[in-house]
Amino acid sequence: EKMGEARLKDVIEEMPADAVADIIDFLPIQKETSVMMKLDRDLAADIQQLRKFPENTAGGRMTLNFVAVPETFTADETLKAIQGAVNAETIEYVYVVDDDDRLRGVCSLYAILRAEPATPVARFMHRDVTFVGAHLDQEEVARIAQKYDLKAIPVVDGEMRLLGVVTLANILAVVHQEADEDI
C-alpha cells in the first residue's frame, strides 16, 4: 500500500501473473485500478483471467506459464517452442492442443528429447491425460496429483480448452496448507 504506483508497476511486471493475481486484491481499489491500467496489456489480461477463479480452486492455483503446441508440431519445433518460453517449474510437460486449444495430449520433456527431430508430437504424446476443471477444489487437485504421481496437472474449461497448469509447487503448497488447517 505504501509503495508508489510506478514502483509497484515495476515490481508487478517482474512477478508471475499467478502471484500478482493472488496479491492484487489486497490493494485499495483505486490503486488496484490505476496500477492495472498501467501494466502491459498481455500481463493485465493474464491477471484478469486468473482472478476469475476463487483462490482455493484449480483455476485459482493454476499458472499460465506453460508450453502448449499443436499436434502437427515436430519434436524439433516443440523444442524451439520451449526455449525461453517458461521457467523450470513448468517445463516437465508440454501440452498438445488442437486448433481450438482443446487438450489432446501431453509429452514429457524426456520423450521430446528422445524423439527424432522430424517426428510429429502426435506420434509419441500420451493421449490419456489426467486433467481437472477450473472450479475443482484445491484439495481434490492435490489428491489427484498424489494418486497419479503427477508433477503438474492441466486445467481445462467445459469444452476441454487448456486454461492453465497447477504445478507441483502449488500442489505442495495446498498439501501443507491443508495439513496446517487440520492440525
Side-chain angles (χ1 to χ4, degrees), residues 19-144:
V20 176
D22 289 342
I23 64 167
I24 202 153
D25 287 332
F26 294 100
L27 293 175
I29 190 68
Q30 306 90 328
K31 193 170 207 175
E32 173 189 325
T33 303
S34 177
V35 170
M36 288 293 289
M37 289 174 50
K38 293 176 184 172
L39 294 177
D40 170 75
R41 187 181 320 172
D42 291 337
L43 176 59
D46 286 350
I47 292 166
Q48 291 298 354
Q49 170 70 16
L50 291 165
R51 293 177 74 198
K52 290 180 183 177
F53 305 103
E55 186 179 343
N56 63 344
T57 64
R61 288 288 185 171
M62 72 183 177
T63 181
L64 303 177
N65 187 17
F66 64 93
V67 174
V69 298
E71 295 174 275
T72 56
F73 261 38
T74 64
D76 188 50
E77 290 171 317
T78 302
L79 283 174
K80 287 178 182 160
I82 292 169
Q83 292 174 333
V86 296
N87 64 34
E89 180 184 20
T90 58
I91 200 54
E92 185 75 25
Y93 304 113
V94 172
Y95 300 93
V96 182
V97 296
D98 67 12
D99 292 338
D100 295 318
D101 290 329
R102 287 187 298 257
L103 183 61
R104 293 293 187 217
V106 63
C107 297
S108 69
L109 182 58
Y110 178 74
I112 296 165
L113 291 171
R114 288 195 52 209
E116 290 293 322
T119 306
V121 293
R123 294 199 33 223
F124 60 87
M125 71 182 184
H126 291 282
R127 294 179 190 279
D128 186 23
V129 182
T130 300
F131 59 87
V132 296
H135 294 283
L136 188 66
D137 185 84
Q138 65 183 4
E139 280 187 78
E140 188 59 27
V141 174
R143 276 192 216 96
I144 291 168

